[in-house]
Amino acid sequence: MTQQAFGRRQFLGAGAALGASAIGLAGCAQTSGIQNIDSASPITTVEHGELRGARAGAVISFKRVPYAANPFIAANRFKAPQPVAAWPGVRDASTYGPMPPQPSRAPGGGLAGEADDLTLNVWAPLNAHNAPVMVWFPGGAYYRVDAAEGWYDGSGFASKGIVVVTVNYRVGIDGFMMIGGMPDNRGLLDSVAALQWIQRNIAAFGGNPKDVTISGQSAGAQSVMLLMGMPMAQGLFQKAIAQSPPQNHFTPEQAARIAKATAEVMGVAPTAQAMAAVPLPAMITATEKMIGDLRDRAKWGAIGGQPPYLPVIDGKVLTATPLAALQKNAGDVPLLIGCTDEEARLYLVPGGTIDRIPLPAFEAALRGNRLPANAAEVYARVRDKASPGDMLAALESDATFRMPTLRFAEQRVAAGAPVWLYNFSWPSPGFGGRLGAAHVVDVPFSFNTLATKQAAPFLGGPGYQPLANEMHARWTRFIKTGDAGWPRYELVTRPTMRFDSTSAVAADPLAERRKLWSDARFN
């Protein structure tokens, strides 16, 4: 059974190399470090000019820093990332820039974000020199992304001696739809361009370009795993962290079908020229329609239930399916990887959907995933007096996140790479005490950003600070040393750190559910 055959919900909240001419590899940033360090407006110099940031205590930040030119102007539309022009004087980098164009989360939807340069944000310790670097790729189902979200604030890591970079990249039609004559996987090419920019410029912030950890959550975590297997990304990082990575991708044939349908929604041909003439608000409206249309599994078959714009195995940027590419290209890069215990409750609890799921829907999911006869009995034990919604949430959590996470970990162990596996098990009291250990709840704990406004509804209050201290310390240790500090994962006892009110290593947690999927093939 192939990965594409799994019944999944939409849970993911160029050529063979990116040439030096496309990203300005000939340039080299000054490495004199940050100046005016004692002022509220420190200055540093990167390859295209000077930046004025902001200081908060022992942390300096520089925001809306361009790493590639605006990809939404006519000359750059649907192309690989293009070089940034030098700017005169000192560029203000004290405040966040807009998110890339994408569907709004506000009621009624519509366009959110703006057409802007491709940008990143940097947090650095005072007087940093050769500090380890963490690069964060946000999630968002490949049709949303925002590197300025509050719970991604890098100050916590920076205060512990780490330079943090959060990256915006193209999403949706501009980032991932197949368009004839243009490179596929443009959003991933953006990520590579950001990593190359970091190689050339991070020393200007006190970072060490030879000690880079790539990290992300959800679609951002899948991007991490894809970057590990991409030939053009090799050598741009030394460690990796993946929080709840799915394995969703398209074949070229599937991507072409999506592209044809998207163009029909907009009433244009699926060509770069025709698509570029569509105003951004209309393109976002088409994206929203395609998101809804892909929920019709009867119409779309194997690709139904997925986001409409996903990485495509094009043979150039992505040369093989994720697991195969890891086997060939990823070497022994240390990997910290895990998921939450109740991922899918994020999508079913807040709107009350979990209470409207009938038993036949759960039974259909069992059949669709070809699980063994005892699966219903196993999922009935996920909670006391589990409802059909509780059972479906557990099954979808396994199908979309837990099993892909385990397959990634198993593949890396088989390849001889060091792996540390975790489960996030803290039951959030959010949404009337029903959210549980849902998708994305682990993010403010790993960043130690519980106090942010964004985190509050997902935590159901202030959260649990001792757990944030524990997780943040483990992530910090891994970024600095390449060792998370608990036993490495192996396939006999399967030691796994369970993060909860009391955190401890467990041997093969949720083993019964893992075994239900032993015959399922992901790729």
Side-chain angles (χ1 to χ4, degrees):
M1 187 174 180
T2 66
Q3 176 265 350
Q4 295 292 353
F6 281 90
R8 291 180 301 268
R9 306 179 69 86
Q10 295 192 90
F11 289 167
L12 301 182
L18 196 57
S21 61
I23 53 168
L25 279 175
C28 183
Q30 295 182 21
T31 58
S32 56
I34 300 171
Q35 303 168 12
N36 297 345
I37 199 167
D38 293 326
S39 77
S41 302
I43 292 175
T44 195
T45 303
V46 295
E47 60 190 343
H48 293 107
E50 291 184 301
L51 298 167
R52 179 185 295 109
R55 176 178 171 178
V59 175
I60 294 174
S61 62
F62 296 84
K63 299 169 181 174
R64 199 180 183 177
V65 180
Y67 68 86
N70 189 336
F72 300 98
I73 62 175
N76 297 339
R77 200 70 187 276
F78 308 122
K79 294 181 179 179
Q82 300 296 304
V84 175
W87 53 83
V90 181
R91 178 187 175 106
D92 179 37
S94 62
T95 58
Y96 289 118
M99 66 184 80
Q102 60 193 270
S104 173
R105 296 184 186 273
L111 172 65
E114 299 176 16
D116 189 26
D117 290 336
L118 292 169
T119 62
L120 48 78
N121 309 299
V122 183
W123 291 261
L126 283 179
N127 300 311
H129 176 70
N130 238 23
V133 180
M134 169 183 159
V135 184
W136 179 261
F137 298 103
Y142 292 114
Y143 59 81
R144 288 194 180 101
V145 67
D146 186 3
E149 290 185 341
W151 48 21
Y152 303 151
D153 187 293
S155 299
F157 286 113
S159 69
K160 294 174 177 61
I162 296 168
V163 175
V164 177
V165 183
T166 64
V167 180
N168 278 321
Y169 51 90
R170 281 174 286 181
V171 290
I173 292 170
D174 275 88
F176 289 94
M177 194 182 97
M178 177 180 283
I179 297 176
M182 294 296 176
D184 294 319
N185 300 302
R186 294 174 295 277
L188 289 174
L189 292 179
D190 294 345
S191 297
V192 172
L195 291 171
Q196 291 172 323
W197 185 95
I198 288 165
Q199 288 296 302
R200 303 190 307 273
N201 292 279
I202 205 64
F205 305 90
N208 181 357
K210 301 304 180 185
D211 190 6
V212 174
T213 300
I214 57 172
S215 57
Q217 185 267 346
S218 195
Q222 181 178 355
S223 294
V224 166
M225 303 311 297
L226 294 173
L227 287 163
M228 288 178 70
M230 286 170 58
M232 70 175 65
Q234 301 310 298
L236 299 178
F237 54 88
Q238 288 70 45
K239 299 181 286 290
I241 301 173
Q243 300 180 215
S244 303
Q247 283 195 40
N248 290 15
H249 57 268
F250 288 147
T251 66
E253 294 75 20
Q254 291 167 336
R257 183 184 175 194
I258 294 285
K260 182 176 182 293
T262 301
E264 289 173 352
V265 167
M266 291 187 286
V268 300
T271 65
Q273 182 177 5
M275 298 288 291
V278 178
L280 279 173
M283 188 167 285
I284 296 303
T285 296
T287 299
E288 292 170 328
K289 289 181 178 178
M290 289 299 298
I291 293 168
D293 199 45
L294 262 289
R295 296 192 179 106
D296 185 348
R297 301 188 187 198
K299 174 180 177 180
W300 288 97
I303 61 176
Q306 300 189 81
Y309 310 108
L310 293 172
V312 56
I313 311 304
D314 63 333
K316 297 178 181 178
V317 178
L318 297 179
T319 57
T321 58
L323 290 176
L326 284 172
Q327 180 67 37
K328 183 177 181 180
N329 298 313
D332 58 356
V333 172
L335 174 64
L336 170 58
I337 187 170
C339 60
T340 73
D341 278 355
E342 300 175 300
E343 299 271 3
R345 294 185 76 85
L346 174 66
Y347 309 97
L348 300 180
V349 167
T353 302
I354 197 166
D355 296 322
R356 299 191 294 271
I357 294 171
L359 183 60
F362 169 68
E363 293 171 338
L366 289 176
R367 293 191 299 271
N369 287 284
R370 302 179 187 176
L371 296 179
N374 66 325
E377 178 184 349
V378 171
Y379 282 111
R381 294 196 291 269
V382 296
R383 287 192 168 214
D384 185 38
K385 298 180 181 179
S387 69
D390 292 326
M391 293 187 289
L392 183 64
L395 187 153
E396 292 284 11
S397 297
D398 288 346
T400 308
F401 295 106
R402 177 179 300 283
M403 295 308 127
T405 294
L406 287 175
R407 294 296 189 272
F408 279 133
E410 290 164 352
Q411 193 281 341
R412 293 285 72 218
V413 168
V419 176
W420 288 265
L421 185 72
Y422 76 90
N423 283 5
F424 181 85
S425 306
W426 182 77
S428 169
F431 296 93
R434 304 187 69 194
L435 186 60
H439 192 62
V440 90
V441 175
D442 59 328
V443 168
F445 286 90
S446 59
F447 272 84
N448 200 6
T449 49
L450 302 187
T452 56
K453 181 179 179 180
Q454 183 179 13
F458 298 93
L459 302 177
Y464 187 63
Q465 188 61 50
L467 176 56
N469 295 342
E470 171 77 12
M471 284 190 67
H472 188 66
R474 297 288 187 173
W475 265 237
T476 298
R477 172 175 172 156
F478 180 80
I479 292 164
K480 288 184 173 182
T481 69
D483 185 332
W486 65 84
R488 285 168 52 169
Y489 194 60
E490 42 81 12
L491 304 185
V492 177
T493 63
R494 296 179 180 265
T496 305
M497 175 62 81
R498 296 188 76 244
F499 287 111
D500 204 338
S501 298
T502 300
S503 299
V505 175
D508 201 6
L510 302 180
E512 191 175 35
R513 280 164 58 180
R514 175 183 62 79
K515 292 173 183 177
L516 293 176
W517 299 82
S518 60
D519 293 332
R521 185 168 68 87
F522 292 78
N523 56 19

